C-alpha cells in the first residue's frame, strides 16, 4: 500500500474555485473569475485568475479543475494512529454505564492498548496503521500528527515512532511525531510507592533524550489529568523537552480543570488539546502564548461528555481553534476529519469557516507547520484538494459521505484523476 501509482501534479491547474480565507493569491480574483494554481517541482509557484497567468507558465501542461472547489490539504493535528489491538469491548462497557475512568480502573483503557502494542512487531503495527492512515488520506489529509504513548517503555515507544516515520515515507504525507511517554502509568510501575515519579524520571532522563537523539521526536505531549500525570510531573516533562529544544503540547483539562493549559502556555506550547474544562485563566495564558486550542469532538461524543469546551470565550479571546480526529482505539475510533468538522459545528457550535480553518490553517499551526501547510500560497509544497462540491459549507454539512475528491499531496496526484 504505497503511493507508487500517483502522478506528478506539476502544471497549470485551472478552472478552480478557491475558498478566499484559505488561500493567498498573487493576483486578486474579480467576482466570477476562475482561479489557477501553478505547480512546479512539487511546489505552488503562482495563484490567481486565469487571465493573469504569467507568460512563463502559459505553456505548462494543463489540469482542468472543471469548476471544483479547492481547499488546502487537510491537517489532522492530534492522532494516536499507531497501536495494537482494539477496544470495542469498552464501547459495550460504556454503553452499559461504565465511565472512562471506571473502564481505566478495571484494567481497560490505555493500559489494554499498551499490552497489545507491546506484543506487536514494528511491521505488524505498520500493517495495522496503514489502512487507518489511508482512510484519512482519501479524504484529503496532507499532514498528520502521530503520537506514541501505547508503548510506555523505551523500545516500544521507539517502535511506535519508527512506524509513524515509515508511514510518512511510504504514503508521501507529512507526519509530525509526538512523544507521549507520559500518557499513562505502565503496569510495572502502577501501585508501587513513588511509581509515578520514578516513571516520570524515566520518561525525562532516558526515553526522551534517547528518542530525540534518534530523530524520532518532533514534539512532546503529556496526559495531565487526575487519572494520569500531575501538574508537577507535567512540568518536569516540559523542562526536559525545553532542555532538548523540543516544542510541547498537552492533553489538558479533558476531565477536570488541572491548570495544565496555563502551565503549557508558560512553556510556549504549540497546542492544548481537549480543554472541555478550560478556565478563563487558561484561555488568557493561551492567547498570550499563541497556543492553539485543539478541539476533539470525537472523544467528547464517544464519552458522552456534556461539559462543552468554552468555545464562545475562546472565540472572544481570539485563540485559534483547530479540530482533529484524536484517532485512538479508546475514546475516538474516528477515521474522518470531515466528520469531526461536522461535529465541531453541531456539538460545539463552531461556524463553518471556523471549522474549515480548524482542519487547515489552525491545525497546521498546532503542529508548527504554519509556514508550509494549511493554506494555498506560492512557495509552499503543493498540498491541495479539489472537491466536487458547490459550496464550502458542504465540507462540514455532509456526514457519512466521502466526497470523490482529487488530492494533490506533496506534489503528486491521488484520488479521482482530474
Ligand atoms: O486523547 N486522553 C487521553 N488520551 C486519549 C485516549 C487514549 C485512549 O483511551 O487510548 C485521548 O482521548
Ligand atoms: Fe489524544
Amino acid at each position: 500500500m504505497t503511493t507508487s501509482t500517483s502522478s506528478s501534479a506539476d502544471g497549470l491547474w485551472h478552472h478552480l474555485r478557491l475558498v478566499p480565507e484559505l488561500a493567498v493569491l498573487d493576483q486578486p480574483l474579480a467576482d466570477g473569475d476562475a482561479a489557477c494554481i501553478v505547480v512546479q517541482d512539487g511546489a505552488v509557484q503562482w495563484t490567481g485568475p486565469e487571465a493573469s497567468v504569467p507568460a512563463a507558465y502559459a505553456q505548462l501542461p494543463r489540469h482542468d479543475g472543471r469548476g471544483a472547489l479547492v481547499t488546502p490539504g487537510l491537517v489532522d493535528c492530534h492522532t494516536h494512529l499507531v497501536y495494537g489491538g482494539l477496544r470495542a469491548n469498552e464501547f459495550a462497557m460504556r454503553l452499559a454505564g461504565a465511565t472512562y475512568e471506571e473502564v481505566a480502573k478495571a484494567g481497560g483503557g490505555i493500559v489494554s492498548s499498551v499490552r497489545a502494542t507491546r506484543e506487536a512487531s514494528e511491521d505488524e503495527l505498520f500493517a495495522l496503521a496503514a489502512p487507518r492512515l489511508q482512510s484519512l488520506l482519501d479524504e484529503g489529509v496532507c499532514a498528520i500528527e502521530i503520537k506514541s504513548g501505547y508503548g510506555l517503555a523505551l523500545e516500544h515507544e521507539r517502535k511506535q515512532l519508527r512506524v509513524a516515520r515509515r508511514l510518512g515515507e511510504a504514503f508521501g504525507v507529512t507526519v509530525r511525531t509526538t512523544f507521549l511517554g507520559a500518557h499513562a502509568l505502565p503496569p510495572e510501575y502502577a501501585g508501587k510507592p513513588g511509581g509515578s515519579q520514578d516513571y516520570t524520571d524515566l520518561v525525562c532522563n532516558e526515553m526522551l533524550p534517547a528518542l530525540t537523539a534518534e530523530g524520532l521526536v518532533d514534539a512532546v505531549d503529556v496526559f495531565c489529568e487526575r487519572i494520569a500525570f500531575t501538574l508537577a510531573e507535567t512540568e518536569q516533562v516540559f523542562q526536559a523537552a525545553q532542555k532538548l529544544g523540543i516544542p510541547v503540547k498537552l492533553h489538558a483539562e479533558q476531565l477536570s480543570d488541572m491548570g495544565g493549559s496555563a502551565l503549557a502556555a508558560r512553556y510556549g506550547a504549540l497546542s492544548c488539546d481537549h480543554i472541555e474544562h478550560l478556565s478563563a485563566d487558561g484561555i488568557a495564558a493561551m492567547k498570550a502564548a499563541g497556543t492553539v486550542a485543539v478541539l476533539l469532538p470525537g472523544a467528547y461524543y464517544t464519552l458522552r461528555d456534556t461539559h462543552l469546551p468554552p468555545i464562545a470565550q475562546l472565540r472572544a479571546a481570539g485563540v485559534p481553534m483547530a479540530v482533529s480526529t484524536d484517532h485512538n482505539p479508546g475514546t475516538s475510533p474516528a477515521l474522518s476529519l470531515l466528520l469531526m468538522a461536522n461535529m465541531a459545528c453541531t456539538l460545539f457550535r463552531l461556524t463553518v469557516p471556523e471549522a474549515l480553518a480548524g482542519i487547515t490553517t489552525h491545525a497546521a499551526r498546532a503542529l508548527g507547520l504554519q509556514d508550509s501547510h494549511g493554506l494555498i500560497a506560492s512557495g509552499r509544497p503543493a498540498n491541495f484538494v479539489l472537491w466536487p462540491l458547490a459550496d464550502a459549507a458542504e465540507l462540514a454539512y455532509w456526514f457519512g459521505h466521502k466526497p470523490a475528491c482529487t488530492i494533490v499531496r506533496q506534489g503528486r496526484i491521488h484520488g479521482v484523476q482530474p
Side-chain angles (χ1 to χ4, degrees):
M1 201 172 308
T2 68
T3 56
S4 57
T5 55
S6 68
S7 54
S8 167
D10 278 11
L12 199 159
W13 292 76
H14 64 109
H15 200 187
L16 307 172
R17 285 176 299 126
L18 297 176
V19 181
E21 310 89 78
L22 302 179
V24 177
L25 300 173
D26 295 296
Q27 286 282 324
L29 293 170
D31 263 2
D33 272 354
C36 271
I37 301 176
V38 175
V39 177
Q40 260 187 332
D41 302 323
V44 174
Q45 305 293 343
W46 188 87
T47 58
E50 285 201 51
S52 318
V53 173
Y57 303 130
Q59 299 312 316
L60 289 176
R62 289 181 160 248
H63 303 281
D64 187 350
R66 297 191 190 89
L69 181 77
V70 182
T71 67
L74 308 187
V75 179
D76 195 352
C77 65
H78 179 141
T79 86
H80 310 248
L81 199 76
V82 176
Y83 53 85
L86 280 179
R87 307 237 298 274
N89 60 323
E90 291 176 19
F91 182 61
M93 282 170 77
R94 279 197 311 272
L95 288 179
T99 65
Y100 185 50
E101 285 163 289
E102 284 162 358
V103 170
K105 284 187 181 135
I110 295 169
V111 169
S112 81
S113 293
V114 171
R115 275 193 298 273
T117 302
R118 286 179 173 182
E119 279 165 19
S121 69
E122 191 178 308
D123 287 346
E124 284 165 347
L125 290 176
F126 182 95
L128 288 167
R132 297 173 198 143
L133 179 61
Q134 188 64 59
S135 176
L136 292 166
L137 299 185
D138 288 345
E139 224 182 43
V141 167
C142 291
I144 184 167
E145 187 247 24
I146 302 178
K147 300 176 195 290
S148 67
Y150 290 125
L152 308 186
L154 179 57
E155 64 175 303
H156 299 295
E157 291 285 300
R158 175 188 288 126
K159 194 169 63 176
Q160 277 193 281
L161 294 170
R162 282 174 54 91
V163 170
R165 285 271 188 258
R166 277 176 56 192
L167 288 167
E169 283 155 26
F171 285 82
V173 57
T174 303
V175 168
R176 301 297 283 174
T177 56
T178 297
F179 172 60
L180 178 57
H183 192 196
L185 202 55
E188 58 276 16
Y189 286 82
K192 294 226 172 98
S196 194
Q197 185 57 57
D198 289 349
Y199 180 66
T200 306
D201 290 346
L202 183 77
V203 163
C204 295
N205 303 335
E206 292 182 33
M207 293 161 80
L208 177 58
L211 297 169
T212 300
E214 292 170 36
L216 290 171
V217 181
D218 296 327
V220 174
D221 193 354
V222 176
F223 185 17
C224 179
E225 193 52 69
R226 52 190 185 215
I227 57 165
F229 293 87
T230 65
L231 205 57
E233 290 161 345
T234 301
E235 180 154 25
Q236 190 185 332
V237 177
F238 285 176
Q239 280 170 351
Q242 195 175 54
K243 228 168 85 187
L244 294 166
I246 309 281
V248 302
K249 52 177 62 199
L250 192 64
H251 279 74
E253 338 310 351
Q254 180 186 11
L255 308 170
S256 60
D257 178 14
M258 302 272 292
S261 298
L263 172 73
R266 280 219 310 282
Y267 282 81
L270 290 169
S271 68
C272 292
D273 304 36
H274 287 287
I275 56 168
E276 278 83 350
H277 295 260
L278 180 63
S279 67
D281 285 352
I283 293 173
M286 288 170 67
K287 171 63 184 168
T291 299
V292 177
V294 177
L295 306 171
L296 304 171
Y300 177 91
Y301 165 81
T302 300
L303 298 175
R304 282 181 294 162
D305 202 343
T306 51
H307 200 290
L308 283 163
I311 301 298
Q313 292 87 334
L314 286 163
R315 182 184 289 133
V319 174
M321 292 182 277
V323 175
S324 168
T325 60
D326 188 17
H327 177 86
N328 75 73
T331 62
S332 193
L335 289 170
S336 167
L337 189 54
L338 293 182
L339 175 60
M340 298 304 114
N342 170 274
M343 288 166 65
C345 294
T346 302
L347 296 175
F348 293 170
R349 292 286 173 236
L350 260 61
T351 65
V352 169
E354 284 172 339
L356 297 185
I359 56 174
T360 55
T361 45
H362 294 164
R365 185 163 164 191
L367 297 181
L369 294 176
Q370 60 275 14
D371 295 331
S372 57
H373 291 72
L375 195 66
I376 296 174
S378 299
R380 293 174 174 232
N383 290 302
F384 54 85
V385 189
L386 277 62
W387 306 93
L389 301 173
D391 184 339
E394 289 183 67
L395 288 165
Y397 162 77
W398 297 104
F399 58 93
H401 166 57
K402 298 220 185 225
C405 52
T406 299
I407 300 147
V408 172
R409 192 173 69 244
Q410 291 188 344
R412 310 287 302 173
I413 305 173
H414 302 269
V416 175
Q417 293 302 301

